[in-house]
Every structure is written in structure tokens, then in C-alpha cells.
């Protein structure tokens, strides 16, 4: 007979067999406090129980990797004795319930993960997914977008870390479950990375930062369940962010880390004090004993259960060397922070929680962390895939290229995101070399000649059609984006956003995506150093598209070589690197235009279709292209570089002309035999990977073509910059001829116009 | 010469001002913690941007009570050059070293972007190297930069030529369209009666190197170096 009835277990998100395992681990029935502790540590969010066996397939090692998955963040060597420390994390569920605070605390959480490693955070990025801005749910979506953007801005701007890039996409499936993925990167001395370890029996355990309240209790459990129409009732499980408190914590922790009084530190994020104590103990192979009466509390009458499970923000747990207490306390005092000694390190391997001296929980750390359940969940290929792969273009009426370009440029996914990024301070710390909206984010590393480029990318539509290739394309696009900025990709972090893994078709997508990502990482030689899995992204039983989001970090040895996407001078030559057109040179002969348009933004926006085979990808060609871009930028051959992705070559050409100060282009794309209407559209709007549009000074054309040949990358001069029009012909036949200023106005104003409407 | 960069809890452009003074200009610079009461012998003071004390109350409202502000006020009253940038400007307003107040941007949103400023006055230590009417391209990054002053204060400011910078278009004309936040009379920066205390919302320290997109902000720092050199060479 269990001490807790099934309703209690259900409320804790624990299955009956999981309860049995708890009893087995303890050798007795757990108390309610212990049950609460197990429930958060064994939640999907903290334990990765559905994904763990598959995540092992990802390549996590490489010559530059200093820290792979398992710590608060990953780290790669960037030379000069420095490390780039970075990670991406989701805050999807809280952002749906309370957009401003959900997004703000997401930013706060990932920043803590970075400075916990001893790194000074210098850049933020985000990947956002929302429902459509129009239609029945449009008004709510617009409010969500405004709240999320304001929350990211409110936290990042205040704490003074620039938000330098990211991406936003709109798709029906995110209407009831938006995605908010936030990435942070910091710089540390590579010989001074700080770990989240406890150690040294008798060393004191300190709690620093905001007081503990009843907010966020069971946040991790909430993030491990589907949503329904009662989700608004879960609002108390969302925390409120205080960027000022975090700024103080950041500065005080970095000051403390300059000395050697610290053993280990971990932030209290998901699962709060429970997770920080048990993980630090488990990593250090020791025990931790705390008394909750010493935990600073903002409310009276809190129970040990509440204190252990609270997810109040801006709190850190530290283990410091015995005898150095005064030194540590003085540093926090300088920053007006109270460091409370709440316990000490023991040799028992147990998490021992006391309340006024009386033991209220006693659990082996290993049982909470290392021995959490791991599931090999069943998978099944979803049936819808057979349907959606059929694409019969002949049943559709083709749209004129110019009209199609207009529709794409004004669609929220492609339109300028200036309305968003002007709300983000993207220049603070005076490192931003490529301003927001101009391609990958690029920050210099002061005191060195180097710069880092970073990009977050993903495409749910591709992954809906083919999660394996979709995940590969996400990595390839992020890598290509940093390469366009002049960087060599050196590491990646991933955020896997999926539905309920207990459903075999969802689980199939997750496994496919991880395996695809793994293959692509190996092919492009980019290790994954950490990340986050967000499951149960479902509302009322409807799952989001499988949406792996990949953040890639690239190194630019000479910061002065950093490039943006826009044309720089009239009269420069425009060269298309990679397969020549949307259908892709490298594809088997005879592939129909339909292959080129599969999964494209064109099909979705102009024909309301999400169908076909996802864009072509050749990882060998992609690898050669990355190598070419690295050499060409280091040799200062290029004036601008912009990759082809959403909206295909036509959108890439238009975006290269935008923000250039009015430099148009005259482009003629090659025709292959007799070109039908669909062939032209596929060449202009197909989204095959592995292609980049560059502009070069006339004198650099020859050297670039030679270098491309040397690297084995097809390169074709397709036109010249200049004039005040975007003029594109295909095989000499006019396709697009549009005044640049008109096209640019349409593109610049489209997103802002949604928010000029009265709120419904 | 030596710059003192005051650090309040929540300052976040302190490192940027220090970098501009020390590494771009090659001058001496020190951080001064807000609890200190000595400026460490500095010749000029910068109150940097950021969100002092979180700016949960009115911007700058708590920072004015920091111990260092007594010293800064005495330094300013003695004629020492003081530059308040963004939150530093807001603190100068709260401390009464400059007149007026800040409202939220007219569209209630934070704006981070390059804007154009016209240099209106060149007889301050922070503008003497700029020609009158020079147009500077400098970024703003604020949510509360909508400068406001009572009509009589405003009249006095204009009459005594104390509007130092005005938002303008690329050709140097102060138009409504070039005003990013709704500031009265397109005011981006002002000075005190003694002309030695200057506050502005835009961030000149972010525009000191061509690699960052503009070096137009350098003139403010070069000006104060010149001003102090001229002062030192006086008999």
C-alpha cells in the first residue's frame, strides 16, 4: 500500500512504475517532500529520460572542445588562452502562459548558465516561433509576439548584454505553443573554467541572490506536460525576472571567480535548490547537507517542500573553501548581496535536507541524477508523411515571379525584423561588428585580433516533411551563415523542440532529427557542446512541427575580415557559389521543378501548401563551400555574402540589395534547355542548401573563381550590382524588374504594420 | 589626463566608456565605485549608461543618492567637466545638475539604432573640437529618452544656448521624423549654466571606432582632452 495515492502521483507527473523505483532507491516510502524532489529531478525537463539514449549519438568531441555536454554550458577553445562558453535553452511553456516574464526569465536563465562557468557573457541570440499573425488567433499571436520581444529586450537591455541576432518564423502549428529559444555566449580564460562540482568534506555551501518565494513551484514538471484550456491556471508556476539582481550576481560571481576561494557553483534554474544541490553533489561524488531555515525567504510559513521546489529566479548555490568565508562574504557584501550559509559538503553521497535541525529528506544524489529513469520509447513513422510528400504542381496555377517575390518579402517570416531588433540593445559592450539584421551576429573579442560569429537556425516546415534532413539543413544553414560572416564554424548547441514523446510518431521524429543532426555534425566537423530538449510542446493534443534549432559559433581570426549580407559598392560582380539554381546542379538529371520547390516558403505563402520533398542537401558540397568561404573572406576577396534559405535565390538577391544604401542589381540566371513557368519559379524560389550569393570587386572575380575551382565549389558570375532596380532575368527572359526602393519599403514595413493595428 | 568612470549598481556601459577613454583615446581612466567618495584625482567624470538600481523607480532616481554623487556635484560646481550618457544623463537630471526630466519614448518602446545629431553649441568642454552644425551619426539605446521640461525652463535653455545636441535628419535638419523618442524641441543633449556639465541620451562611446559603424562620437572625448590641455597650459 503506497503512502501516496494516485492523485498525488499524477499531480507530481510520476507514473506508478516510477514511484516503485523511488521506493526501491530509498528502501522505504518517500515523504511528501522527498516525492516532490524526485518528481522534479525525474521530470522530462531535468532528466532527459526520453531523449538521453539518443543524445549520446551526437558528436561532442573535437580538438577545440574544452567542455562538452553535462556542465552548465559547453566551451570551445578560440585561441589566445580564451574559451567561448555557450548554450541554447528553451522557455517555451512559460512564454505561452506569460509572454513577457516567460521570455525574460528564459534570458536570465541562460545568462546564469554562462557566467556560472566563469565566463563574461557578451552576446545573446534567440529563435522564436509563433502562430500566424492573421486569422482567428492573430490578435493573440500579436500580443504574444509583443510580450516575448519586450521580455527579451527588458531583461537583456537592462543587464547589458547585447542581443545580436536570431530568427523568427510564423507557422500555424505554433499558435497554441510558441517557441522561445535563447542562446548566450560568454568569454572565459580557458584555464579557469568553473565547474558545477561540490567537493571537500566540511566546505560551506552558500546561497546567494534573490530570496525564495512560492513562485515557479513545479515549473520543471509543467514544462514536461501538454497544455490544455486550463493552462492559464498554471500562471503561478511562471517566475518573475529581476535583471538588476542578476546583474549584481553576475558581477559579484565574476569577481569571486578571479580568486581561488570557490570550489564550484551552479545556478538555481529548473527545479531550483533541489537540482542545484543534488547535481553539484552527484558531480562531485559527495553529499550535501542543508537546513532550509537558513534559506532567505520572501514569504512566511514556507514548507521545506516549497523551499526545495521553488523556481524563484536569480539565485546561485556556491561551495567555497573552508576558512575563506570572510573573503567570499565581503565580495557579495560589496554588491549589496547577502550570502547565506545554508549547509556544508558531506562524505555521505546523500542530499540531506533539514528544517530546524530535523531531517525532512534524505536521498542519495545518484538516485536523483544518474539513476533517473531512462526510456527507449517506441517510435513509428507518422502516416501523414505519405500524403505530404506528393506534390503535383500541374494542379496549381503558377504566380508571376515578381508577384511571388512581393508576397514573400511582405510575409512575416521573411520581412525585415527591424521592428523586433530595434527593441534589443544590440550594441552595448561595443563589440558588435555586424549589426543586427545584417546576417550572422558578429562580436569582436577585445584584447585579441579575433571575432566570433554566431547564428541560430531551424525550419519546422522542413522537419515536418522530413525530420532527418530538416535537422541536417538547420545545422548546414547555421554553419553557412557564420561562414558568410567570415567565420570557421567551431562548435554548436542544439535546442530540440518536439511534442509528446510518449506518442510513437513524435518520438520517431525526435530520433530522426537527432540522427540527422549527428550525421551533419560529423560531415561538417562541428561538435555539439550542449543544449536543451523541450518536449510536450502540445496544446489540446496538437503537437508543434518537430523543430530542432541549432546555434553555431564560428571563429574569425582577423576581426577586420568580418562581412555582412548587403552589397557594398555599385559595379561589383555578383557570384553564385554552390549549385547554380533552386533545383540544384548536383541533383540527379531530370528532377522536376517540384523537387526544387518542396517545403518552400513560396509554396506555403503563394499556394498555402506544406508539401513535397524538402530542399536538397549535399553535405560534401556544403563542407567545400564552408572551406571556400573561409579562404575567400580571409583573403579579403568578398564585399558581401548572403546564403540562400527561406524564399530562395530571389529573396537572397533582394536582401543583398536591402540596407545597402540603394545599390540595386542586374542578374541573369542561366537557363537549362526549355524553361517552363514552374522551372523558372523553382530556380528563383527553390530553397536548396549549399548556395551563397557574394559580391566582389571586379578585380577579385578571377581570384575568387580560381579559389572556387580549387575548393571544388561550382561558381558562376550571374550579374553586377548597381542601378536602382532589382532586375532578374532567367536565360535572358525577364522575371523580376522592380524599383529597389519600392521593394525595400514593402519588406521594411510589413512586420511593423501588424503592430500598428489596434489590439483586438 | 584621467577620466573617472562612475560605476553604479546596474551600470552597464561603464566598460564601454572606459574602453573608449583608455584604449581608443589612450588616456588614463579609472572606475569609481558608487560607494566611494574620491574621484581618484580624475580631470573629467563620466556617468555611464545602464540601468542603475534596475531603474525600477524613475530612471536615475536612486543613483542620485549614492555617496559618490556628493563628490561629483562638488566637482561639477567647481567647474570640472562631467559627461552623463543615457542613464548618466538621467542621473544628472535627478541630481539637479541639469534641468528637466525624462518621459518614456513616445511609442513606449525601447529603441536601439543609429540616429543623427546636430551639434548646436561648441563652447562646452565636450564639443569644442566640433564645428557648429556638424552632424554626428551616433547610436541611441533607451526606453526613456523623451526629454521634457516646463515651458519656462525650455525657454531659458534655448535662450541661454544650452541645448547642445538636437536629433536631426541626415542633412542636419531637426524634423519630427528624425526625432526617435518625442523629445521636446528634438533635444538630445543639454548643458548646465556653467557649460561644464553635459548630458545626452545617445551613446558617443559606442561610436568611437569605424569597425563599430561610426567614429563620430570620438569628438566628444577629444574635445574634453583638448579643453583640459588648454586649461593646463594657462599660466
Amino acid at each position: 500500500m503506497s503512502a501516496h495515492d494516485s492523485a498525488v502521483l499524477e499531480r507530481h507527473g510520476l507514473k506508478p512504475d516510477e514511484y516503485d523505483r523511488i521506493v526501491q532507491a530509498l528502501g522505504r516510502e518517500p515523504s511528501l517532500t522527498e516525492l516532490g524532489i524526485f518528481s522534479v529531478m525525474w521530470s522530462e525537463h531535468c532528466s532527459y529520460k526520453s531523449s538521453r539514449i539518443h543524445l549520446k549519438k551526437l558528436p561532442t568531441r573535437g580538438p577545440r572542445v574544452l567542455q562538452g555536454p553535462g556542465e552548465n554550458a559547453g566551451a570551445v577553445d578560440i585561441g589566445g588562452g580564451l574559451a567561448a562558453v555557450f548554450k541554447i535553452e528553451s522557455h517555451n511553456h512559460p512564454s505561452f502562459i506569460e509572454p513577457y516574464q516567460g521570455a525574460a526569465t528564459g534570458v536570465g536563465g541562460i545568462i546564469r548558465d554562462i557566467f556560472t562557468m566563469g565566463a563574461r557573457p557578451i552576446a545573446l541570440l534567440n529563435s522564436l516561433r509563433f502562430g500566424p499573425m492573421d486569422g482567428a488567433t492573430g490578435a493573440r499571436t500579436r500580443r504574444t509576439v509583443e510580450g516575448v520581444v519586450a521580455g527579451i529586450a527588458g531583461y537583456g537591455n537592462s543587464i547589458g548584454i547585447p542581443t545580436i541576432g536570431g530568427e523568427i518564423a510564423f507557422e500555424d502549428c505554433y499558435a497554441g505553443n510558441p517557441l522561445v529559444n535563447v542562446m548566450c555566449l560568454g568569454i572565459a580564460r580557458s584555464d579557469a573554467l568553473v565547474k558545477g562540482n561540490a567537493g571537500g568534506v566540511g566546505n560551506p555551501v552558500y546561497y546567494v541572490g534573490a530570496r525564495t518565494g512560492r513562485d515557479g513551484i513545479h515549473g520543471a514538471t509543467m514544462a514536461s506536460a501538454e497544455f490544455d484550456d486550463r493552462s492559464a491556471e498554471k500562471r503561478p508556476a511562471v517566475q518573475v525576472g529581476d535583471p538588476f539582481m542578476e546583474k549584481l550576481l553576475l558581477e559579484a560571481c565574476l569577481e569571486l571567480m578571479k580568486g581561488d576561494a570557490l570550489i564550484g557553483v551552479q545556478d538555481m534554474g529548473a527545479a531550483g535548490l533541489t537540482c542545484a544541490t543534488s547535481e553539484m553533489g552527484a558531480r562531485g561524488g559527495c553529499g550535501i547537507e542543508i537546513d532550509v531555515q537558513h534559506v532567505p525567504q520572501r514569504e512566511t510559513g514556507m514548507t521545506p517542500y516549497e523551499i526545495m521546489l521553488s523556481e524563484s529566479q536569480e539565485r546561485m548555490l556556491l561551495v567555497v573553501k573552508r576558512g575563506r568565508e570572510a573573503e567570499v562574504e565581503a565580495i557579495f557584501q560589496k554588491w549589496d548581496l547577502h550570502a547565506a550559509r545554508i549547509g556544508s559538503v558531506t562524505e555521505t553521497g546523500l542530499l540531506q535536507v533539514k528544517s530546524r535541525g530535523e531531517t525532512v529528506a534524505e536521498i542519495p544524489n545518484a538516485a536523483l541524477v544518474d539513476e533517473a529513469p531512462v526510456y527507449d520509447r517506441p517510435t513509428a513513422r507518422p502516416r501523414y508523411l505519405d500524403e505530404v510528400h506528393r506534390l503535383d504542381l500541374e494542379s496549381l496555377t503558377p504566380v508571376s515571379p515578381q508577384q511571388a517575390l512581393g508576397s514573400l518579402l511582405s510575409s512575416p517570416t521573411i520581412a525585415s525584423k527591424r521592428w523586433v531588433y530595434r527593441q534589443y540593445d544590440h550594441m552595448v559592450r561595443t563589440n558588435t561588428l555586424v549589426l543586427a539584421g545584417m546576417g550572422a551576429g558578429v562580436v569582436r573579442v577585445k584584447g585579441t585580433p579575433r571575432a566570433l560569429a554566431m547564428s541560430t537556425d531551424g525550419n519546422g516546415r522542413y522537419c515536418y516533411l522530413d525530420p532527418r534532413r530538416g535537422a541536417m539543413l538547420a545545422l548546414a544553414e547555421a554553419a553557412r551563415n557564420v561562414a558568410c560572416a567570415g567565420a570557421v564554424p567551431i562548435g554548436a548547441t542544439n535546442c530540440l523542440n518536439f511534442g509528446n514523446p510518449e506518442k510513437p510518431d513524435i518520438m520517431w521524429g525526435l530520433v530522426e532529427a537527432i540522427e540527422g543532426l549527428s550525421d551533419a555534425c560529423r560531415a561538417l566537423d562541428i561538435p555539439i557542446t550542449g543544449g536543451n530538449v523541450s518536449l510536450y510542446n502540445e496544446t489540446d493534443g496538437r503537437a508543434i512541427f518537430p523543430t530542432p534549432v541549432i546555434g553555431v559559433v564560428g571563429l574569425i581570426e582577423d576581426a577586420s575580415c568580418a562581412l555582412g549580407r548587403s552589397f557594398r559598392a555599385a559595379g561589383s560582380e555578383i557570384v553564385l557559389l554552390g549549385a547554380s539554381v533552386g533545383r540544384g546542379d548536383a541533383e540527379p538529371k531530370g528532377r522536376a521543378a517540384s523537387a526544387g520547390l518542396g517545403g518552400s516558403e513560396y509554396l506555403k505563402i503563394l499556394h498555402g501548401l506544406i508539401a513535397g520533398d524538402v530542399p536538397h542537401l549535399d553535405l560534401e558540397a556544403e563542407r567545400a563551400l564552408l572551406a571556400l568561404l573561409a579562404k575567400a573572406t580571409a583573403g579579403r576577396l568578398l564585399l558581401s555574402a548572403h546564403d540562400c534559405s527561406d524564399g530562395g535565390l530571389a529573396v537572397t538577391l533582394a536582401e543583398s540589395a536591402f540596407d545597402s544604401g540603394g545599390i540595386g542589381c542586374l542578374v541573369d540566371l542561366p537557363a537549362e534547355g526549355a524553361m517552363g513557368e514552374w522551372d523558372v519559379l523553382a530556380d528563383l524560389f527553390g530553397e536548396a542548401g549549399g548556395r551563397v550569393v557574394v559580391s566582389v570587386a571586379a578585380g577579385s572575380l578571377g581570384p575568387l573563381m580560381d579559389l572556387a575551382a580549387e575548393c571544388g565549389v561550382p561558381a558562376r558570375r550571374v550579374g553586377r550590382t548597381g542601378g536602382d532596380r532589382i532586375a532578374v532575368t532567367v536565360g535572358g527572359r525577364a522575371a523580376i524588374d522592380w524599383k529597389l526602393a519600392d521593394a525595400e519599403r514593402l519588406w521594411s514595413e510589413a512586420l511593423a504594420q501588424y503592430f500598428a493595428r489596434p489590439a483586438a | 589626463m584621467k577620466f573617472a568612470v562612475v560605476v553604479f549598481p546596474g551600470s552597464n556601459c561603464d566598460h564601454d566608456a572606459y574602453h573608449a577613454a583608455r584604449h581608443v583615446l589612450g588616456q588614463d581612466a579609472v572606475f569609481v565605485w558608487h560607494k566611494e567618495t574620491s574621484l581618484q584625482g580624475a580631470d573629467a567624470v563620466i556617468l555611464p549608461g545602464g540601468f542603475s538600481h534596475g531603474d525600477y523607480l524613475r530612471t536615475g532616481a536612486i543613483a542620485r543618492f549614492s555617496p559618490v554623487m556628493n563628490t561629483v556635484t562638488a566637482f561639477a560646481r567647481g567647474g570640472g567637466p562631467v559627461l552623463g550618457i543615457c542613464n548618466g544623463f538621467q542621473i544628472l537630471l535627478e541630481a539637479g545638475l541639469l534641468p528637466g526630466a525624462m518621459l518614456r519614448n513616445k511609442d513606449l518602446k525601447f529603441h536601439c539604432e543609429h540616429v543623427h545629431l546636430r551639434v548646436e553649441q561648441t563652447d562646452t568642454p565636450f564639443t569644442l573640437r566640433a564645428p557648429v552644425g556638424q552632424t554626428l551619426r551616433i547610436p541611441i539605446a533607451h526606453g526613456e529618452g523623451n526629454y521634457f521640461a516646463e515651458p519656462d525652463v525650455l525657454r531659458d535653455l534655448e535662450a541661454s544656448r544650452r541645448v547642445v545636441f538636437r536629433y536631426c535628419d541626415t542633412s542636419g535638419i531637426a524634423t519630427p521624423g528624425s526625432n526617435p523618442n518625442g523629445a521636446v524641441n528634438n533635444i538630445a543633449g543639454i548643458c548646465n549654466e556653467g557649460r561644464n556639465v553635459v548630458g545626452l541620451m545617445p551613446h558617443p562611446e559606442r561610436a568611437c571606432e569605424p569597425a563599430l559603424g561610426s567614429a563620430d562620437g570620438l569628438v566628444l572625448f577629444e574635445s574634453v582632452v583638448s579643453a583640459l590641455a588648454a586649461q593646463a597650459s594657462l599660466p
Side-chain angles (χ1 to χ4, degrees):
Chain A
M1 181 66 195
S2 160
H4 306 282
D5 65 25
S6 58
V8 171
L9 295 189
E10 199 181 321
R11 210 159 55 237
H12 283 84
L14 287 165
K15 303 267 153 48
D17 59 311
E18 290 174 337
Y19 183 80
D20 294 342
R21 293 182 60 155
I22 292 171
V23 174
Q24 209 173 2
L26 290 177
R28 59 178 166 80
E29 300 271 345
S31 68
L32 186 63
T33 302
E34 289 170 332
L35 191 71
I37 289 172
F38 270 105
S39 78
V40 289
M41 289 307 294
W42 285 12
S43 71
E44 186 67 54
H45 189 83
C46 290
S47 72
Y48 297 87
K49 57 189 168 190
S50 302
S51 57
R52 195 180 269 210
I53 58 165
H54 302 289
L55 292 173
K56 286 192 182 138
K57 298 169 189 168
L58 293 169
T60 58
R61 286 163 212 254
R64 285 187 182 273
V65 176
L66 300 171
Q67 179 63 58
E71 277 289 340
N72 287 299
V76 291
D77 182 2
I78 60 167
L82 297 176
V85 177
F86 60 96
K87 195 166 89 166
I88 192 168
E89 224 171 48
S90 66
H91 234 216
N92 305 334
H93 296 81
S95 301
F96 175 60
I97 295 176
E98 213 312 288
Y100 185 100
Q101 293 298 345
T105 52
V107 174
I110 194 67
I111 292 171
R112 283 196 300 280
D113 281 337
I114 301 309
F115 75 75
T116 298
M117 297 286 294
R120 157 80 62 186
I122 62 163
L124 288 164
L125 296 94
N126 53 72
S127 272
L128 311 178
R129 298 284 184 285
F130 301 103
M133 300 268 273
D134 296 298
T137 56
R140 170 156 192 181
T141 292
R142 296 196 294 274
R143 281 200 303 277
T144 306
V145 174
E146 289 212 272
V148 165
V149 169
I152 291 170
Y155 209 101
N157 297 352
S158 177
I159 198 166
I161 301 167
T163 301
I164 60 165
E167 44 137 26
I168 306 181
F170 299 85
E171 203 75 67
D172 290 2
C173 66
Y174 304 111
N177 199 126
L179 302 185
V180 175
N181 294 180
V182 195
M183 174 170 163
C184 184
L185 179 141
I187 301 292
R189 270 184 33 216
S190 39
D191 60 356
L193 291 172
V194 178
K195 302 288 175 71
N197 285 350
V201 173
N203 277 333
V205 175
Y206 275 94
Y207 168 115
V208 191
R211 290 166 186 277
T212 296
R214 289 193 171 93
D215 50 336
I217 291 173
H218 277 301
T221 316
M222 178 182 88
S224 307
E226 294 177 29
F227 275 141
D228 53 35
D229 52 10
R230 295 190 321 254
S231 294
E233 294 166 16
K234 292 182 179 165
R235 195 167 284 137
V238 182
Q239 314 85 346
V240 174
D242 178 356
F244 175 59
M245 172 61 79
E246 181 139 317
K247 171 72 173 168
L248 300 179
L249 277 176
L250 185 164
E251 297 298 340
C253 285
L254 291 181
E255 195 170 321
L256 175 64
M257 287 162 179
K258 281 185 197 157
D260 65 347
L262 186 70
I263 301 278
V265 58
Q266 180 150 341
D267 81 295
M268 294 183 230
L273 189 52
T274 291
C275 183
T277 46
S278 58
E279 284 194 355
M280 286 186 77
R283 285 200 202 102
C286 55
I288 287 189
E289 179 186 280
I290 61 169
D291 192 321
V292 294
Q293 73 166 306
H294 301 305
V295 171
Q297 293 155 48
R298 97 163 80 92
E299 299 175 57
T300 53
M302 288 186 70
T303 63
Y305 179 101
E306 290 171 325
I307 294 168
M308 290 306 292
L309 267 60
S310 163
E311 291 188 8
S312 290
Q313 295 288 293
E314 291 92 21
R315 303 178 302 156
M316 308 289 286
L317 193 75
L318 296 86
V319 175
V320 308
K321 291 180 185 162
R322 198 166 24 165
R324 308 285 291 275
E325 292 89 344
E327 187 184 326
V328 171
E329 288 172 18
I331 289 174
F332 287 107
Q333 209 154 24
K334 173 191 161 185
W335 293 94
D336 294 327
L337 293 167
H338 175 54
R341 187 175 170 169
I342 62 167
S344 51
V345 177
T346 67
E347 73 285 312
T348 60
L350 298 172
L351 168 61
Q352 289 170 293
V353 183
K354 296 185 173 177
S355 180
R356 298 181 193 287
E358 189 188 321
T359 298
V360 293
E362 193 170 273
I363 307 172
N365 285 319
L368 291 170
V369 181
D370 309 317
E371 291 152 28
V374 172
Y375 296 130
D376 186 0
R377 296 196 187 276
T379 64
R381 184 176 179 274
R383 290 222 186 105
Y384 75 82
L385 285 173
D386 298 326
E387 280 298 310
V388 296
H389 280 199
R390 276 189 221 122
L391 173 59
D392 177 19
L393 289 177
E394 297 314 315
S395 66
L396 305 172
T397 310
V399 178
S400 83
Q402 185 142 334
Q403 190 195 335
L405 180 61
S407 300
L408 289 170
L409 291 178
S410 57
S411 75
T413 296
I414 292 179
S416 166
K417 302 304 182 297
R418 180 167 174 267
W419 181 88
V420 174
Y421 64 72
R422 81 195 295 227
Q423 296 185 54
Y424 301 150
D425 189 338
H426 49 278
M427 304 178 198
V428 63
R429 302 201 66 76
T430 59
N431 294 322
T432 312
L433 299 181
V434 174
L435 293 179
M438 295 298 287
V442 181
V443 288
R444 63 180 175 186
V445 182
K446 282 202 187 102
T448 79
R450 302 179 183 86
L452 295 168
M454 53 210 93
S455 182
T456 55
D457 292 284
N459 189 318
R461 210 165 55 237
Y462 296 168
C463 294
Y464 166 74
L465 296 172
D466 182 345
R468 182 176 289 260
R469 207 197 296 174
M472 291 176 162
L473 282 160
L475 178 86
E477 186 183 346
R480 213 183 302 131
N481 275 334
V482 303
C484 282
V488 175
I490 56 171
T493 176
N494 63 341
C495 195
L496 305 174
N497 306 277
F498 287 77
N500 180 348
E502 295 163 44
K503 297 178 183 170
D505 55 337
I506 301 283
M507 195 60 212
W508 180 84
L510 177 62
V511 176
E512 285 284 301
I514 292 173
E515 290 179 357
L517 178 61
S518 173
D519 288 350
C521 285
R522 282 176 221 278
L524 301 182
D525 220 359
I526 306 173
I528 298 273
T529 63
N532 170 234
V533 181
S534 172
L535 302 178
Y536 298 94
N537 287 289
E538 303 200 2
T539 296
D540 295 330
R542 194 164 164 239
I544 59 162
F545 287 168
T547 314
V549 170
I550 317 297
V552 168
V553 175
L555 178 64
I556 305 174
E557 290 288 351
D558 179 349
S560 68
C561 293
L563 275 190
R565 70 164 155 78
S566 294
F567 294 143
R568 300 249 295 280
S572 34
E573 306 288 348
I574 301 173
V575 178
L576 176 61
L577 303 176
S580 71
V581 290
R583 286 170 293 167
D585 275 353
E587 296 197 351
K589 287 283 174 212
R591 266 176 77 119
S594 62
L597 284 172
S600 65
E601 196 74 19
Y602 167 87
L603 275 189
K604 189 206 151 189
I605 299 292
L606 278 304
H607 302 283
L609 276 182
I610 298 176
D613 287 327
V614 298
H616 177 77
L617 177 71
D618 175 343
L619 287 169
E620 273 313 303
E622 200 78 48
R623 189 186 167 101
L625 178 65
L626 296 177
L628 168 61
L629 285 166
K631 287 182 183 159
T633 47
R636 297 180 197 277
L637 292 177
L638 309 181
L639 293 172
S640 70
H642 190 23
D643 92 308
C644 291
S645 55
D646 294 340
L649 185 53
V651 166
T652 299
L653 287 166
E655 286 179 345
S656 300
F658 297 159
D659 296 313
S660 68
I663 303 171
C665 59
L666 191 62
V667 170
D668 182 45
L669 299 178
E672 290 173 46
M675 299 276 286
E677 271 179 297
W678 283 112
D679 297 315
V680 171
L681 288 169
D683 284 359
L684 290 171
F685 302 109
E687 297 177 3
R691 297 175 305 149
V692 169
V693 169
V694 299
S695 65
V696 296
S700 299
L701 183 62
L704 176 65
M705 299 309 252
D706 292 347
L707 192 59
E710 198 182 293
C711 294
V713 175
R716 191 193 292 261
R717 181 192 169 279
V718 294
R720 183 170 290 164
T721 65
D724 61 356
R725 306 186 73 78
I726 301 171
V728 182
T729 54
V730 180
R733 251 170 55 197
I736 294 162
D737 186 10
W738 200 353
K739 198 158 186 250
L740 170 59
D742 293 340
E744 185 159 2
R745 190 174 315 113
L746 181 74
W747 172 81
S748 322
E749 293 173 2
L751 192 64
Q753 275 170 6
Y754 283 97
F755 300 100
R757 298 177 189 179
Chain B
M1 67 163 286
K2 189 181 200 177
F3 286 92
V5 178
V6 177
V7 183
F8 298 95
S11 291
N12 63 33
C13 303
D14 45 344
H15 289 238
D16 303 352
Y18 181 91
H19 173 76
R22 185 79 178 243
H23 301 123
V24 182
L25 239 68
Q27 299 293 333
D28 197 5
V30 288
F31 289 116
V32 175
W33 181 234
H34 77 121
K35 290 177 186 171
E36 291 172 29
T37 52
S38 159
L39 294 172
Q40 301 176 34
D43 306 295
V45 173
I46 298 175
L47 303 188
F51 288 69
S52 55
H53 296 276
D55 280 344
Y56 294 136
L57 196 54
R58 285 190 321 279
T59 52
I62 298 179
R64 64 167 283 217
F65 293 108
S66 284
V68 76
M69 284 309 291
N70 290 328
T71 316
V72 171
T73 302
F75 180 80
R77 299 238 192 277
V82 177
L83 181 67
I85 301 168
C86 197
N87 193 228
F89 183 14
Q90 294 162 340
I91 294 168
L92 290 173
L93 297 177
E94 289 289 335
L97 286 166
L98 291 173
M102 287 297 170
L103 306 176
R104 287 189 68 189
N105 293 349
K106 67 180 174 214
D107 67 354
L108 305 180
K109 294 216 167 1
F110 190 97
H111 287 215
C112 175
E113 59 200 337
H114 280 88
V115 298
H116 289 88
L117 303 181
R118 189 173 69 208
V119 180
E120 301 283 279
Q121 306 298 338
T122 57
D123 56 346
T124 83
F126 296 100
T127 51
L128 60 83
R129 291 272 295 267
V132 176
Q134 185 182 1
T135 304
L136 307 176
R137 186 170 171 271
I138 293 186
I140 54 166
H142 59 247
E144 292 187 26
N146 181 353
Y147 180 78
F148 177 81
E150 295 291 340
D152 55 325
V153 175
L154 200 58
R155 259 195 310 275
D156 183 43
L157 272 177
E158 295 285 6
S160 54
R161 300 185 304 101
R162 286 162 56 199
V163 175
V164 183
F165 302 101
R166 242 184 266 275
Y167 300 112
C168 65
D169 62 17
T170 48
S171 54
I173 301 165
T175 60
S178 58
N179 184 338
N181 51 33
V184 62
N185 290 8
N186 278 40
I187 289 174
I190 57 173
C191 68
N192 66 343
E193 282 172 32
R195 310 191 84 76
N196 60 314
V197 178
V198 172
L200 78 167
M201 287 312 295
H203 285 272
E205 82 283 13
R206 295 186 184 186
C208 288
E209 295 162 271
L212 301 176
S214 170
D216 287 359
L218 206 50
V219 72
L220 278 84
F221 301 97
E222 287 169 346
S223 289
V224 72
V225 173
S226 295
L228 287 161
Q231 204 175 40
S233 68
L234 287 178

